[in-house]
Amino acid sequence: MNSQANNGNELHARAESLIAKERVEGITPAEQEWLVAHLRECTQCSTNADATQQALRSLLSVHVTAPRGLAARTQFRVRLRAQEMRSVRQPRWRLVYLMCGASWVAGAATAPYVWRGLEWIGHRAGLPDLVWKMGFGVWWALPAIIAAAILFTESAGTNASRVDLNKNF
C-alpha cells in the first residue's frame, strides 16, 4: 500500500513538473501525451493545471509601466560597471608590462654571457653554429612569447564574453 502511495506521489510530482515546464520551456510530444492522459484521470492535477493557467492569464492581463528613462539609466549603469571592471583589470596589466620590461632589461644585460655560454656549449657538443644561435634567439624572444601568450588568452576570454553596450534594449 505504501509503495502505491509513493508511486501516486511520484506521478503527481511529475505532472506538476511537466505543467510548469510546459508553460515555460515546452515539453516533448511524449511528455505532452502522458500529461494529457494523466490530467484526464487525476482531478487534483487537473485542478492544479487549471489554476496555473488561470494565474498565467491573470499575470498577462496586468499592465506594468516602466519608469521613464529606465532603459537609459540601466545602460548608463552597465557602462559604468564595465568601465569599473576595466579599471580593476588595469593594475594587473601594468604588472605584466613591468615584468616584460624588467625581463628585457635583464636579457640585454646578460646577453653577452648567454651568447658566450651557448657558443661554448654548442662547440663542446659539436652542434652546428645555426643551432646554438637559434637557441640564443629563442632565449631572447622567450619573454615576448610568454607575454603574447598571456595577452592572447586574456583577449580570447574577454572577447567571448563581451557585450555590445551601445545596442538599444
Side-chain angles (χ1 to χ4, degrees):
M1 173 88 180
N2 195 16
S3 67
Q4 279 184 334
N6 283 342
N7 191 25
N9 287 339
E10 288 176 14
L11 291 176
H12 292 309
R14 180 178 180 205
E16 285 180 22
S17 172
L18 288 176
I19 289 167
K21 188 177 174 185
E22 177 184 37
R23 302 307 193 275
V24 176
E25 59 196 58
I27 57 177
T28 65
E31 291 172 328
Q32 179 73 35
E33 241 178 80
W34 182 88
L35 182 61
V36 167
H38 181 75
L39 292 178
R40 267 185 288 204
E41 297 170 4
C42 179
T43 57
Q44 177 185 353
C45 291
S46 180
T47 304
N48 184 8
D50 291 340
T52 302
Q53 186 62 32
Q54 181 59 35
L56 287 173
R57 269 191 238 122
S58 297
L59 283 174
L60 289 173
S61 67
V62 173
H63 182 69
V64 178
T65 57
R68 196 175 197 108
L70 177 65
R73 287 194 309 266
T74 304
Q75 284 177 336
F76 174 73
R77 293 285 183 190
V78 169
R79 283 189 188 105
L80 201 63
R81 179 67 179 139
Q83 194 174 32
E84 182 181 299
M85 289 175 69
R86 274 193 302 265
S87 68
V88 167
R89 233 183 300 151
Q90 292 238 325
R92 186 176 65 200
W93 285 114
R94 288 185 189 134
L95 180 63
V96 170
Y97 295 144
L98 182 69
M99 294 303 290
C100 284
S103 172
W104 281 100
V105 168
T110 60
Y113 305 110
V114 172
W115 179 268
R116 287 188 200 124
L118 288 174
E119 182 181 24
W120 180 79
I121 290 171
H123 287 272
R124 279 293 234 184
L127 297 173
D129 283 351
L130 182 63
V131 172
W132 66 264
K133 288 178 181 177
M134 291 290 284
F136 180 79
V138 169
W139 170 82
W140 184 259
L142 193 60
I145 293 169
I146 292 171
I150 291 170
L151 292 172
F152 179 72
T153 56
E154 281 288 320
S155 68
T158 57
N159 284 343
S161 64
R162 187 167 288 160
V163 176
D164 184 9
L165 298 176
N166 293 323
K167 284 186 178 178
N168 291 333
F169 287 103

